[in-house]
Amino acid sequence: MIERVIDQRRRDIGGFEVGRVLPQAGHRMVGPFIFFDHMGPKGFEAGFPRTVDVRPHPHIGLSTVTYLFEGQITHRDSVGVTQEIRPGEVNWMTAGRGITHSERFEDLRAHGGSLHGIQAWVALPDALEETDPSFAHHDAADLPTYEGGGMWARLIAGKAFGAEAKVKTHSPMFYAHWALEAGAKAQLPAEYPERAAYVAAGEVEVDGHTYRTGQMLVFSPGEPVLFTAQTPAIIMLLGGEPVGPRFIDWNFVSSSQERLEQAKADWRAGRMKLPDADDAEFIPLP
């Protein structure tokens, strides 16, 4: 039932650590998901330095999906959008042929507080890798929820559990948030060929074994998966139809290595437009 268990690797991104789960050597993708970072939980005192912010940087060939449990982030991008994201909402940015954006912690800097959430990347299918860049924000009303039997659930994107979120996706996929009380049971159906679950908090039992915060379980196809919460737990469920092999280099994703090299050259030469509302600095190509 469980093909692989992936442990998060802690990485300092300048001011705080994240737990990187995908990509991982030997298992780069789950459905179209090619990147998965667990941010926090991290407490901040008011007045922390701007160096903690994520300065403008580029993407191609993917959609970024930001989802928070706690905190607030200010997004600014090169298609002219400025948007706050708060817990239970979704920022879905489609890079396509190229976009730049920043992520600033202005509310946390002003008031202090905790940041906790997930940053994921979804690879675009071949025919849409060079689509026009765009951005969409969805509040909680666009995301179906369910509650019962000690489980609260929200469908963040895609189709699953007989529901569909209003987030526009580009290939068959699902992304969901479960909050389980201790002792609660919940089942992941077998409707997609690639599926995984990430334990964002607490402990759960699957197939007779216990898994803890920071572990992703990658499941074999064709069988439903039963979870039993050993403690109060937060589980993120993800997967879908595979989109085919992808190359990844820094913030760029593509089916073509040559396209990655072109994107790197464009960023190095300053040919990618910075956000109008945040163009005074940027992250150089490593």
mmCIF file of all heavy atoms in Angstrom, residues 128-150:
data_model
loop_
_atom_site.group_PDB
_atom_site.id
_atom_site.type_symbol
_atom_site.label_atom_id
_atom_site.label_comp_id
_atom_site.label_asym_id
_atom_site.label_seq_id
_atom_site.Cartn_x
_atom_site.Cartn_y
_atom_site.Cartn_z
ATOM 1 N N LEU A 128 0.431 23.422 -22.127
ATOM 2 C CA LEU A 128 0.198 24.681 -21.412
ATOM 3 C C LEU A 128 1.446 25.240 -20.738
ATOM 4 O O LEU A 128 1.359 26.225 -20.013
ATOM 5 C CB LEU A 128 -0.909 24.486 -20.365
ATOM 6 C CG LEU A 128 -2.300 24.185 -20.923
ATOM 7 C CD1 LEU A 128 -3.270 23.878 -19.792
ATOM 8 C CD2 LEU A 128 -2.804 25.349 -21.766
ATOM 9 N N GLU A 129 2.588 24.620 -20.997
ATOM 10 C CA GLU A 129 3.803 25.101 -20.345
ATOM 11 C C GLU A 129 4.125 26.552 -20.703
ATOM 12 O O GLU A 129 4.712 27.272 -19.901
ATOM 13 C CB GLU A 129 4.995 24.206 -20.715
ATOM 14 C CG GLU A 129 4.997 22.871 -20.023
ATOM 15 C CD GLU A 129 6.275 22.105 -20.282
ATOM 16 O OE1 GLU A 129 6.473 21.648 -21.430
ATOM 17 O OE2 GLU A 129 7.091 21.990 -19.354
ATOM 18 N N GLU A 130 3.738 26.978 -21.915
ATOM 19 C CA GLU A 130 4.035 28.346 -22.354
ATOM 20 C C GLU A 130 2.776 29.222 -22.382
ATOM 21 O O GLU A 130 2.715 30.212 -23.105
ATOM 22 C CB GLU A 130 4.688 28.310 -23.738
ATOM 23 C CG GLU A 130 6.023 27.602 -23.768
ATOM 24 C CD GLU A 130 7.085 28.294 -22.909
ATOM 25 O OE1 GLU A 130 7.140 29.546 -22.915
ATOM 26 O OE2 GLU A 130 7.853 27.573 -22.234
ATOM 27 N N THR A 131 1.786 28.869 -21.564
ATOM 28 C CA THR A 131 0.579 29.678 -21.503
ATOM 29 C C THR A 131 0.877 31.048 -20.897
ATOM 30 O O THR A 131 1.931 31.255 -20.272
ATOM 31 C CB THR A 131 -0.512 28.953 -20.667
ATOM 32 O OG1 THR A 131 -1.754 29.597 -20.862
ATOM 33 C CG2 THR A 131 -0.167 28.953 -19.184
ATOM 34 N N ASP A 132 -0.036 32.001 -21.062
ATOM 35 C CA ASP A 132 0.147 33.328 -20.478
ATOM 36 C C ASP A 132 0.133 33.231 -18.955
ATOM 37 O O ASP A 132 -0.671 32.488 -18.375
ATOM 38 C CB ASP A 132 -0.965 34.279 -20.916
ATOM 39 C CG ASP A 132 -0.889 34.646 -22.392
ATOM 40 O OD1 ASP A 132 0.196 34.485 -22.977
ATOM 41 O OD2 ASP A 132 -1.908 35.085 -22.942
ATOM 42 N N PRO A 133 0.987 33.987 -18.286
ATOM 43 C CA PRO A 133 0.986 33.980 -16.822
ATOM 44 C C PRO A 133 -0.305 34.585 -16.270
ATOM 45 O O PRO A 133 -0.914 35.459 -16.890
ATOM 46 C CB PRO A 133 2.202 34.820 -16.456
ATOM 47 C CG PRO A 133 2.450 35.693 -17.640
ATOM 48 C CD PRO A 133 2.018 34.896 -18.833
ATOM 49 N N SER A 134 -0.718 34.117 -15.094
ATOM 50 C CA SER A 134 -1.944 34.611 -14.483
ATOM 51 C C SER A 134 -1.906 34.344 -12.982
ATOM 52 O O SER A 134 -1.061 33.596 -12.484
ATOM 53 C CB SER A 134 -3.179 33.941 -15.095
ATOM 54 O OG SER A 134 -3.148 32.541 -14.871
ATOM 55 N N PHE A 135 -2.847 34.955 -12.274
ATOM 56 C CA PHE A 135 -2.929 34.786 -10.827
ATOM 57 C C PHE A 135 -4.397 34.723 -10.420
ATOM 58 O O PHE A 135 -5.233 35.459 -10.961
ATOM 59 C CB PHE A 135 -2.257 35.955 -10.092
ATOM 60 C CG PHE A 135 -2.376 35.863 -8.597
ATOM 61 C CD1 PHE A 135 -1.428 35.172 -7.861
ATOM 62 C CD2 PHE A 135 -3.438 36.441 -7.936
ATOM 63 C CE1 PHE A 135 -1.553 35.062 -6.476
ATOM 64 C CE2 PHE A 135 -3.574 36.334 -6.552
ATOM 65 C CZ PHE A 135 -2.627 35.643 -5.827
ATOM 66 N N ALA A 136 -4.714 33.855 -9.464
ATOM 67 C CA ALA A 136 -6.072 33.768 -8.924
ATOM 68 C C ALA A 136 -6.004 33.594 -7.410
ATOM 69 O O ALA A 136 -5.169 32.840 -6.896
ATOM 70 C CB ALA A 136 -6.838 32.606 -9.548
ATOM 71 N N HIS A 137 -6.878 34.306 -6.711
ATOM 72 C CA HIS A 137 -7.026 34.160 -5.264
ATOM 73 C C HIS A 137 -8.412 33.602 -4.981
ATOM 74 O O HIS A 137 -9.400 34.026 -5.577
ATOM 75 C CB HIS A 137 -6.869 35.522 -4.571
ATOM 76 C CG HIS A 137 -7.144 35.464 -3.100
ATOM 77 N ND1 HIS A 137 -6.226 35.035 -2.187
ATOM 78 C CD2 HIS A 137 -8.270 35.774 -2.393
ATOM 79 C CE1 HIS A 137 -6.752 35.083 -0.977
ATOM 80 N NE2 HIS A 137 -7.990 35.531 -1.073
ATOM 81 N N HIS A 138 -8.481 32.639 -4.066
ATOM 82 C CA HIS A 138 -9.757 32.035 -3.700
ATOM 83 C C HIS A 138 -9.903 32.051 -2.185
ATOM 84 O O HIS A 138 -9.011 31.576 -1.470
ATOM 85 C CB HIS A 138 -9.838 30.596 -4.211
ATOM 86 C CG HIS A 138 -9.823 30.483 -5.705
ATOM 87 N ND1 HIS A 138 -10.979 30.496 -6.457
ATOM 88 C CD2 HIS A 138 -8.796 30.384 -6.574
ATOM 89 C CE1 HIS A 138 -10.664 30.393 -7.731
ATOM 90 N NE2 HIS A 138 -9.345 30.321 -7.834
ATOM 91 N N ASP A 139 -11.023 32.588 -1.705
ATOM 92 C CA ASP A 139 -11.261 32.544 -0.271
ATOM 93 C C ASP A 139 -11.968 31.244 0.088
ATOM 94 O O ASP A 139 -12.234 30.389 -0.765
ATOM 95 C CB ASP A 139 -12.029 33.775 0.208
ATOM 96 C CG ASP A 139 -13.418 33.903 -0.418
ATOM 97 O OD1 ASP A 139 -13.969 32.881 -0.888
ATOM 98 O OD2 ASP A 139 -13.943 35.037 -0.428
ATOM 99 N N ALA A 140 -12.280 31.091 1.365
ATOM 100 C CA ALA A 140 -12.790 29.812 1.855
ATOM 101 C C ALA A 140 -14.102 29.405 1.191
ATOM 102 O O ALA A 140 -14.403 28.209 1.083
ATOM 103 C CB ALA A 140 -12.956 29.878 3.370
ATOM 104 N N ALA A 141 -14.887 30.373 0.726
ATOM 105 C CA ALA A 141 -16.178 30.048 0.115
ATOM 106 C C ALA A 141 -16.040 29.233 -1.162
ATOM 107 O O ALA A 141 -16.981 28.545 -1.570
ATOM 108 C CB ALA A 141 -16.955 31.336 -0.172
ATOM 109 N N ASP A 142 -14.864 29.297 -1.825
ATOM 110 C CA ASP A 142 -14.637 28.555 -3.067
ATOM 111 C C ASP A 142 -14.141 27.128 -2.831
ATOM 112 O O ASP A 142 -13.962 26.372 -3.793
ATOM 113 C CB ASP A 142 -13.607 29.289 -3.929
ATOM 114 C CG ASP A 142 -14.165 30.555 -4.557
ATOM 115 O OD1 ASP A 142 -15.398 30.715 -4.573
ATOM 116 O OD2 ASP A 142 -13.364 31.381 -5.036
ATOM 117 N N LEU A 143 -13.912 26.766 -1.566
ATOM 118 C CA LEU A 143 -13.250 25.507 -1.246
ATOM 119 C C LEU A 143 -14.197 24.640 -0.416
ATOM 120 O O LEU A 143 -14.450 24.935 0.755
ATOM 121 C CB LEU A 143 -11.949 25.769 -0.481
ATOM 122 C CG LEU A 143 -11.052 26.867 -1.070
ATOM 123 C CD1 LEU A 143 -9.838 27.092 -0.167
ATOM 124 C CD2 LEU A 143 -10.609 26.524 -2.489
ATOM 125 N N PRO A 144 -14.740 23.560 -0.989
ATOM 126 C CA PRO A 144 -15.727 22.740 -0.276
ATOM 127 C C PRO A 144 -15.161 22.167 1.020
ATOM 128 O O PRO A 144 -13.980 21.782 1.096
ATOM 129 C CB PRO A 144 -16.039 21.620 -1.269
ATOM 130 C CG PRO A 144 -15.622 22.147 -2.607
ATOM 131 C CD PRO A 144 -14.475 23.060 -2.350
ATOM 132 N N THR A 145 -16.008 22.098 2.048
ATOM 133 C CA THR A 145 -15.604 21.527 3.330
ATOM 134 C C THR A 145 -16.597 20.445 3.759
ATOM 135 O O THR A 145 -17.738 20.392 3.289
ATOM 136 C CB THR A 145 -15.520 22.594 4.430
ATOM 137 O OG1 THR A 145 -16.798 23.225 4.577
ATOM 138 C CG2 THR A 145 -14.462 23.635 4.103
ATOM 139 N N TYR A 146 -16.121 19.594 4.665
ATOM 140 C CA TYR A 146 -16.949 18.521 5.234
ATOM 141 C C TYR A 146 -16.538 18.351 6.687
ATOM 142 O O TYR A 146 -15.362 18.500 7.047
ATOM 143 C CB TYR A 146 -16.730 17.214 4.473
ATOM 144 C CG TYR A 146 -17.314 16.005 5.189
ATOM 145 C CD1 TYR A 146 -18.665 15.692 5.039
ATOM 146 C CD2 TYR A 146 -16.537 15.218 6.024
ATOM 147 C CE1 TYR A 146 -19.224 14.605 5.714
ATOM 148 C CE2 TYR A 146 -17.080 14.126 6.695
ATOM 149 C CZ TYR A 146 -18.419 13.836 6.541
ATOM 150 O OH TYR A 146 -18.967 12.768 7.210
ATOM 151 N N GLU A 147 -17.506 18.020 7.538
ATOM 152 C CA GLU A 147 -17.202 17.776 8.942
ATOM 153 C C GLU A 147 -18.051 16.637 9.456
ATOM 154 O O GLU A 147 -19.260 16.570 9.192
ATOM 155 C CB GLU A 147 -17.456 19.038 9.769
ATOM 156 C CG GLU A 147 -16.960 18.952 11.197
ATOM 157 C CD GLU A 147 -16.947 20.290 11.903
ATOM 158 O OE1 GLU A 147 -17.415 21.286 11.304
ATOM 159 O OE2 GLU A 147 -16.468 20.346 13.053
ATOM 160 N N GLY A 148 -17.433 15.711 10.218
ATOM 161 C CA GLY A 148 -18.173 14.597 10.799
ATOM 162 C C GLY A 148 -17.244 13.507 11.264
ATOM 163 O O GLY A 148 -16.163 13.308 10.693
ATOM 164 N N GLY A 149 -17.625 12.802 12.324
ATOM 165 C CA GLY A 149 -16.843 11.674 12.809
ATOM 166 C C GLY A 149 -15.453 12.028 13.276
ATOM 167 O O GLY A 149 -14.529 11.223 13.154
ATOM 168 N N GLY A 150 -15.294 13.227 13.807
ATOM 169 C CA GLY A 150 -13.981 13.654 14.292
ATOM 170 C C GLY A 150 -13.064 14.163 13.199
ATOM 171 O O GLY A 150 -11.875 14.389 13.438
#
